[in-house]
Amino acid sequence: ESDVAAKCVVCEAGSFRNENKECERCPETYTTTVGARTREACRCPQGKYENKKERRCEDCQPNAICMGGNDIPLVEDGYFAELRPVGATMETFERLEIWKCPFKD
């Protein structure tokens, strides 16, 4: 396969072009858009968040809003949350603890 033809490889959603210029599936629970060119493009789909400890995408919790990708979940109006970090930074959180605000019905 010519170098020009290899550059024209467009991988389907859920896969990326690896260093051998072949399409490779993202790890289980992750996805990509069509035409992803690196493993780093594998992200969580909308409605899920990334559990950094387990290294997988998990369903969004009730009363949370998960935009997908590597974004931290947001909470719905009338709720507050606390991140349970895996390490020293909030960048590597494991889960979100969500509580209803006492002044909201």
Side-chain angles (χ1 to χ4, degrees), residues 7 13 19 29 49-50 52-53 58 70-71 81-82 90:
K7 289 180 182 177
E19 53 279 342
T29 73
Y49 74 96
E50 187 173 21
K52 303 275 187 183
K53 182 178 180 184
E58 295 191 358
N70 291 337
D71 293 337
E82 183 177 305
M90 290 302 171

Side-chain angles (χ1 to χ4, degrees), residues 15-97:
S15 62
F16 62 95
R17 192 171 73 191
N18 64 22
E19 53 279 342
N20 296 326
K21 299 182 175 112
E22 299 169 338
C23 293
E24 184 177 326
R25 299 290 306 159
C26 288
E28 190 176 348
T29 73
Y30 291 85
T31 192
T32 62
T33 57
V34 172
R37 295 183 175 191
T38 64
R39 179 182 293 275
E40 289 74 30
C42 296
R43 308 274 187 188
C44 294
Q46 187 171 2
K48 295 188 180 282
Y49 74 96
E50 187 173 21
N51 178 327
K52 303 275 187 183
K53 182 178 180 184
E54 302 295 326
R55 296 181 187 214
R56 67 172 180 241
C57 300
E58 295 191 358
D59 290 335
C60 199
Q61 296 168 254
N63 307 306
I65 301 164
C66 298
M67 302 304 290
N70 291 337
D71 293 337
I72 293 173
L74 305 172
V75 291
E76 295 176 347
D77 187 38
Y79 293 85
F80 69 99
E82 183 177 305
L83 291 173
R84 295 293 182 209
V86 171
T89 69
M90 290 302 171
E91 199 62 27
T92 57
F93 73 97
E94 176 181 0
R95 69 179 191 280
L96 206 58
E97 296 288 338

Side-chain angles (χ1 to χ4, degrees), residues 1-9 17 19-21:
E1 182 173 312
S2 75
D3 192 45
V4 172
K7 289 180 182 177
C8 294
V9 171
R17 192 171 73 191
E19 53 279 342
N20 296 326
K21 299 182 175 112

Side-chain angles (χ1 to χ4, degrees), residues 76-80 99-105:
E76 295 176 347
D77 187 38
Y79 293 85
F80 69 99
W99 295 276
K100 186 171 179 56
C101 293
F103 55 84
K104 289 281 191 174
D105 293 88

